[in-house]
Amino acid sequence: MAIDISGIFFFMPIISFLFVFLIVWSILVKSSILGDVPWVNLFVGLIMATIFISFSSLDLYVRTVVPWFVVLFICLFLV
C-alpha cells in the first residue's frame, strides 16, 4: 500500500523558510561575523530567509534540495 504524501506540498513554503533561516542563523552564530549579539543574528536570519523565499526560483531550488538533505541525514543516522 502506497502512502499519499501530496499534502506535504501545502507546508513546503514554511519548511523552506525554516530551513533557510536555520542555516543562515547557525552560520552567523558559529562564525560570529556580526558579533555575539543574538538578536542581530536572529534578525539577519529572518531577513535573509524572507528574501530567499520571496523569489520563486530560489524557493523551487530549496524545495528540490530539502528532501535530499532529509535523505542524507537519515542515511547518516543509520550509518
Side-chain angles (χ1 to χ4, degrees), residues 9-65:
F9 289 109
F10 180 73
F11 295 107
M12 279 307 286
I14 297 168
I15 294 169
S16 301
F17 179 84
L18 289 175
F19 180 73
V20 171
F21 168 70
L22 287 175
I23 296 297
V24 170
W25 179 75
S26 63
I27 289 172
L28 289 174
V29 167
K30 281 302 227 182
S31 64
S32 298
I33 293 174
L34 300 175
D36 292 331
V37 182
W39 293 105
V40 173
N41 294 333
L42 181 74
F43 183 70
V44 170
L46 285 172
I47 295 297
M48 290 294 290
T50 303
I51 290 171
F52 199 85
I53 297 303
S54 66
F55 295 107
S56 62
S57 63
L58 295 175
D59 185 41
L60 178 64
Y61 177 73
V62 171
R63 288 182 187 196
T64 306
V65 171

Side-chain angles (χ1 to χ4, degrees), residues 1-9:
M1 177 180 281
I3 298 174
D4 182 28
I5 58 169
S6 62
I8 197 159
F9 289 109

